[in-house]
Amino acid sequence: MKRSNHGISRSFTIHQLGRAVQLALIPAALACLYPPASADGAVSIRTVAVTGQPAPGTPEGVNFWVFTTPLNHSIMHPVIDELGQLGFTGRLIGPGVDATNRNGLWMEQDGGLALVARSGTQAPGTPSGVLFNGFATDYIPFPPSAAGGRLAFMAELVGPGVSFGNNSGIWKQADSGLQLVARDGDQAAGFPNGVAYGAVLGLADFNEQHHLLIGGQVFGPGITAANDEVLWSDRSGSLQVIAQDGQPAPGTNGLVFGEGQLGAAYGPFPKFVMTSASELVVEANLAGPGVTAFNDEAIYLEQDGQLTLLLREGDPVPGMPGVTFGGDGVTLSVFSLAAAAGPNVAFMVDLGGQQAPINVATFSTHTGKLEPIVMFGDPAPNQPYTFGVPFNPVLNDVGYVAFQAATPDDDNDPFTQPPYAIWSDRSGSLEAVAHPGDLVPTGQDTVTFVGTTYLFGFNDAGQVAFRGYVDVGAQYPKDALFINDPQLGTELVVMTGQSFDVFGDGSEFRTVERIEHGPAYGGAGISNDGQIAFRLDFTDQSSGHYVAQLGAPPCPADVDATGVVNIYDLLAVIANWGATGINPADVTGDQVVNINDLLAVIAAWGGC
């Protein structure tokens, strides 16, 4: 990240320094007028982009047009990486914009919002004249994947020689710029000459090491329906095959990966994810002698570079005599396959057998062995009821899990779902993170938490991001977004119907109609420092992308973190004058140390 030398910039004159010191001599009056307010537990929100604003990287007069379409409100959500940088896809409007160049991808990089790719421009790695058309298509824009300060994405192509068999591909940002990783119809990595990628390749994962996981088909000499499904990764430096339909399935005495039988999920690899350490976790189907609809599904973990069988449909469940995975049914029904470095995995599967207490349960390996997270009927800690079925587990990389579970349904309505709570063992023992009936601060008041709809983020600090409903005394509960911190508790970020500060400066407020967030695809959910990305659609048909963070520094003007804002903080700002990027002296958070930071220190003079 480019920064200026430490010391006073030549543009910072002796007159300005004298004026600054003069201003600094009136701290008592300023402290009385503007007492510093503690932000412990408060949510700070950063505006990244709003429709109608100029779109970075485009000619003057070209603005953001839409961040969503009626067909894909929930698909075009923003993504955020582990560093807290937001990325998104959007459409443009303005001079020179038409259907051939209206789509783009942007990401926060190098202290600002940067255009990464735009339709109508040359697609790197392709012949001259072959252009990006859409991300992933023009008809249905799709979010990119974000990790390690970079984007990876699927794109549609147009131009000379482009046909249905080669009109899409996968790109990622590399040190040298945008890099084509794989294109439909090109020679397939890891195969003899003449074997090509089929349509359509899928970008499954992109992690902070900038490694990709790709799934797709191949065609050509020697390829049949029994060996055409493939998983690739570039974790070794170039794209290589890591699993293939028809390959031997480890731990199965001669079976191979293949299409499942009646009841199995589709394809040889129905689900596959990659951890932050680039380890593969995969749900796979099996084929070969003795395989039936009752034992054709399995889950594998990659350990020491080798796929290792974790469980197979029909296997006995550890610690539960008479109970088997899948049971007497023809499906294992792997739901919510979550993975973390280790590798560890968590998932929900069907159970069966005469001794099975229920026909479905959620398991994890994060404790060092495969076991249920909790079981149906287990006492819920500090609650007057027992657990329903836990679901939607999310793991972090330090060995903890968070999950949702039903609470008692006391509305006497058989057609509504029960309210859901969020639980975690992040403290070392199981505890409720967010529970129906909790009072949640809003900044000015409190609202009653009704229940969760989606747990979408859990970072190594134990912070949890989720969506749910709150009771504000209206006819219906409001849809809302939340962040929970182990020390600070739960804070409401935003809710539908709220009058929202669109630009973050108090200049304009709009009513929130819809909230969308990741990372159903392509991001971290919540960054390492507790930031989440979300899109707001307003009732006037405009939209904006935002980043929220719980527990922002309570006193950013205290540059040297002594608990007091004084002359030493003023001098620290001066010493870093002109520095760009992340810097403690950037009090206002606008990625540059300048007069605004100096004035912010003066305005916050005194105790924090």
Side-chain angles (χ1 to χ4, degrees):
M1 190 171 292
K2 184 177 180 180
R3 298 179 59 168
S4 66
N5 292 329
H6 291 295
I8 300 176
S9 167
R10 292 180 182 178
S11 64
F12 188 80
T13 65
I14 296 298
H15 171 76
Q16 287 173 302
L17 176 60
R19 179 59 177 163
V21 172
Q22 183 181 30
L23 289 170
L25 295 178
I26 56 173
L30 287 171
C32 292
L33 289 172
Y34 305 104
S38 171
D40 287 346
V43 173
S44 60
I45 296 178
R46 180 174 80 249
T47 302
V48 176
V50 179
T51 52
Q53 286 185 322
T58 65
E60 184 176 357
V62 175
N63 298 334
F64 290 122
W65 178 35
V66 292
F67 296 147
T68 182
T69 71
L71 294 175
N72 57 358
H73 288 311
S74 62
I75 296 176
M76 286 180 67
H77 59 74
V79 293
I80 194 166
D81 69 5
E82 75 286 352
L83 304 175
Q85 296 170 294
L86 180 146
F88 62 93
T89 181
R91 282 184 172 166
L92 301 168
I93 193 170
V97 177
D98 57 29
T100 68
N101 62 7
R102 62 183 180 176
N103 300 303
L105 295 172
W106 287 263
M107 187 180 188
E108 293 181 300
Q109 294 175 335
D110 298 324
L113 188 61
L115 175 67
V116 175
R118 181 180 174 184
S119 59
T121 63
Q122 177 68 39
T126 66
S128 178
V130 175
L131 311 178
F132 288 129
N133 188 50
F135 311 100
T137 70
D138 173 63
Y139 184 64
I140 303 180
F142 210 74
S145 289
R150 298 178 181 176
L151 291 185
F153 57 90
M154 299 183 292
E156 182 181 54
L157 300 172
V158 293
V162 176
S163 64
F164 176 77
N166 64 3
N167 69 342
S168 64
I170 295 172
W171 284 259
K172 75 173 185 178
Q173 288 185 288
D175 292 340
S176 58
L178 275 183
Q179 178 186 83
L180 173 64
V181 179
R183 178 184 174 186
D184 297 355
D186 281 358
Q187 172 65 41
F191 286 87
N193 288 339
V195 177
Y197 297 116
V200 173
L201 294 170
L203 173 57
D205 234 323
F206 181 52
N207 68 11
E208 46 263 59
Q209 299 185 58
H210 305 137
H211 294 160
L212 292 167
L213 177 61
I214 295 172
Q217 292 182 322
V218 293
F219 66 93
I223 301 300
T224 69
N227 65 359
D228 63 342
E229 298 274 355
V230 187
L231 304 182
W232 293 268
S233 177
D234 63 353
R235 60 190 179 181
S236 64
S238 61
L239 206 59
Q240 294 187 355
V241 175
I242 55 175
Q244 184 183 352
D245 188 10
Q247 281 184 339
T252 62
N253 295 320
L255 302 182
V256 298
F257 296 126
E259 292 286 342
Q261 300 194 23
L262 176 66
Y266 177 78
F269 308 114
K271 295 184 179 68
F272 42 94
V273 293
M274 186 170 62
T275 72
S276 60
S278 301
E279 303 146 323
L280 179 66
V281 175
V282 59
E283 175 193 0
N285 288 326
L286 306 172
V291 174
T292 71
F294 299 96
N295 64 5
D296 61 339
E297 300 174 80
I299 295 177
Y300 282 85
L301 305 181
E302 190 174 34
Q303 298 176 322
D304 300 322
Q306 301 294 322
L307 285 176
T308 302
L309 180 64
L310 177 68
L311 68 89
R312 180 178 173 185
E313 183 183 12
D315 283 352
V317 176
M320 300 176 67
V323 180
T324 60
F325 290 112
D328 301 324
V330 295
T331 176
L332 189 59
S333 297
V334 177
F335 298 102
S336 305
L337 186 66
N344 284 311
V345 63
F347 52 88
M348 184 176 177
V349 293
D350 284 353
L351 301 179
Q354 294 183 352
Q355 304 300 317
I358 193 172
N359 63 355
V360 66
T362 299
F363 291 79
S364 175
T365 63
H366 76 284
T367 61
K369 61 181 179 180
L370 180 62
E371 61 182 355
I373 295 174
V374 295
M375 285 297 296
F376 176 84
D378 286 350
N382 300 313
Q383 299 294 333
Y385 62 82
T386 58
F387 277 113
V389 177
F391 66 100
N392 190 24
V394 180
L395 298 167
N396 65 16
D397 282 343
V398 293
Y400 297 107
V401 68
F403 60 93
Q404 294 174 260
T407 65
D409 189 359
D410 55 7
D411 64 1
N412 297 316
D413 185 346
F415 299 103
T416 61
Q417 293 183 334
Y420 299 111
I422 294 177
W423 296 81
S424 178
D425 59 357
R426 64 188 180 182
S427 66
S429 59
L430 200 59
E431 63 181 9
V433 170
H435 197 279
D438 288 350
L439 295 179
V440 180
T442 65
Q444 293 82 29
D445 203 348
T446 59
V447 293
T448 301
F449 179 63
V450 175
T452 64
T453 54
Y454 187 39
L455 163 61
F456 65 90
F458 183 41
N459 66 12
D460 291 353
Q463 295 172 315
V464 177
F466 61 97
R467 189 167 174 172
Y469 289 100
V470 292
D471 183 358
V472 295
Q475 182 178 4
Y476 300 105
K478 298 292 186 180
D479 187 18
L481 207 58
F482 304 86
I483 307 176
N484 175 278
D485 180 89
Q487 282 75 47
L488 301 176
T490 297
E491 288 277 350
L492 185 146
V493 176
V494 64
M495 63 182 172
T496 53
Q498 175 182 337
S499 180
F500 187 84
D501 186 355
V502 177
F503 301 103
D505 58 5
S507 64
E508 186 170 351
F509 288 79
R510 300 174 190 169
T511 303
V512 177
E513 179 178 24
R514 184 184 301 106
I515 304 168
E516 296 296 344
H517 57 82
Y521 173 89
I526 184 168
S527 69
N528 289 339
D529 61 353
Q531 299 185 70
I532 65 171
F534 58 98
R535 189 191 80 234
L536 297 181
D537 299 334
F538 302 106
T539 54
D540 67 352
Q541 306 305 305
S542 64
S543 299
H545 288 304
Y546 300 90
V547 173
Q549 184 175 25
L550 176 61
C555 195
D558 181 19
V559 179
D560 59 2
T562 61
V564 177
V565 179
N566 55 25
I567 189 65
Y568 296 104
D569 301 296
L570 196 73
L571 294 174
V573 170
I574 295 169
N576 287 276
W577 200 263
T580 59
I582 299 174
N583 191 305
D586 178 22
V587 178
T588 60
D590 62 358
Q591 303 290 315
V592 60
V593 180
N594 56 23
I595 190 66
N596 296 324
D597 303 294
L598 195 75
L599 295 176
V601 168
I602 294 168
W605 205 269
C608 287

